[in-house]
Amino acid sequence: MSTANPKVALITGASRGIGAVIAQQLAKEGFAVVINYANSASEATALVTELREAGHQAIAVQANVANANDVARLFDETEQQLGKVDVLINNAGVLKVLPLAQHSDEDFEQTFNINTRGTFNTLREAATRLNSGGRIVNFSSSTVGMNLPGYAVYIASKAAVESLTHVFAKELRGRQITVNAVAPGPVATELFMHGKTEEQIEAFSKMPPLERLGQPQDIANIVSFLVSPAAAWVNGQVLRGNGGLV
Ligand code: NDP
């Protein structure tokens, strides 16, 4: 790491998928990165090793974002090891595709606890702990604009994240912190691929006018913009990244 005191970026759910590529991108841009994960310890550790070998600062911290105590500890450990957080990326999320009528109480709770409460938990910590001039990027989904059957509970959990984004941006008045959300369309990760047939994946890939699935790097590029000085005047917005799907 060339900078003595690099800015600190905390990425939730960065062991795999989009979050891991965001961690790689922000590390390349000079951030010290915190790779949060819930279960995938070996993937998170491997990513830390890869980034350190490339000369970057990186740590992995296990924390279930749905648990407020875990999230407080996530910020504590970050501050102890790297310093106060400048950039918070609320990427951790889960998707269960299932008609509303077939959702169990546990399914509903899991989706809302991770996607919505998880975002609430980190935002609440960020309110007092983020450095002035910081950046927050939450994760919604373009499905909010599509109203696809089978996605009702997931979409509801992400629509709530969009509401948190709009209001929290205003509540941070005076702190010089922007709060935005990115809402990806289908991205080729485990979360999207799981349980889908080849035909379904092919159909999704043909939906956007750009006629392909999103890649994690497409979304990391949007996050990179939102945390950059170039996005200083973008605040309280939801940016859909989906090749023109919706
Ligand atoms: P993946 O399933 O590939 O990765 C999910 C990541 O979140 C993993 O690192 C996982 O960690 C972590 N995670 C899950 N639960 C928790 C938890 N309770 N606490 C902390 N971390 C957790 O998902 P994607 O990369 O595809 O998705 C990232 C975000 O993008 C999500 O918010 C998703 O809703 C959103 N999104 C994705 C789209 C897509 O098509 N892929 C489309 C629209 C939005 P671990 O492995 O340790 O469990």
Side-chain angles (χ1 to χ4, degrees), residues 51-139:
L51 294 178
R52 286 183 180 167
E53 281 174 3
H56 307 304
Q57 274 191 45
I59 61 170
V61 181
Q62 191 284 333
N64 174 5
V65 294
N67 181 302
N69 290 332
D70 275 21
V71 170
R73 180 178 48 75
L74 172 62
F75 276 79
D76 288 342
E77 288 186 22
T78 299
E79 288 171 9
Q80 282 155 16
Q81 296 191 53
L82 297 175
K84 285 182 75 175
V85 177
D86 296 285
V87 166
L88 167 65
I89 312 295
N90 272 318
N91 164 81
V94 288
L95 164 66
K96 182 150 200 167
V97 183
L98 196 65
L100 183 153
Q102 291 168 29
H103 264 73
S104 66
D105 291 346
E106 291 73 24
D107 292 332
F108 180 92
E109 276 159 22
Q110 198 204 23
T111 299
F112 269 81
N113 277 343
I114 297 174
N115 294 358
T116 314
R117 185 188 296 276
T119 300
F120 162 75
N121 282 338
T122 60
L123 295 182
R124 189 168 54 181
E125 292 298 326
T128 52
R129 292 184 180 225
L130 223 68
N131 272 326
S132 172
R135 297 274 197 271
I136 299 173
V137 180
N138 294 325
F139 264 71

Side-chain angles (χ1 to χ4, degrees), residues 12-20 22 36-41 43-44 61-67 70 90-95 110 113-115 118 138-143 154 157-158 182-193 196 213-214 216 219 241:
T12 67
S15 49
R16 302 182 281 117
I18 297 169
I22 294 171
N36 159 251
Y37 66 97
N39 304 300
S40 301
E43 283 91 337
V61 181
Q62 191 284 333
N64 174 5
V65 294
N67 181 302
D70 275 21
N90 272 318
N91 164 81
V94 288
L95 164 66
Q110 198 204 23
N113 277 343
I114 297 174
N115 294 358
N138 294 325
F139 264 71
S140 179
S141 164
S142 288
T143 54
Y154 176 73
S157 75
K158 293 295 193 179
V182 56
V187 179
T189 67
E190 173 68 19
L191 177 140
F192 168 73
M193 301 290 193
K196 292 191 174 72
L213 292 179
I219 308 306

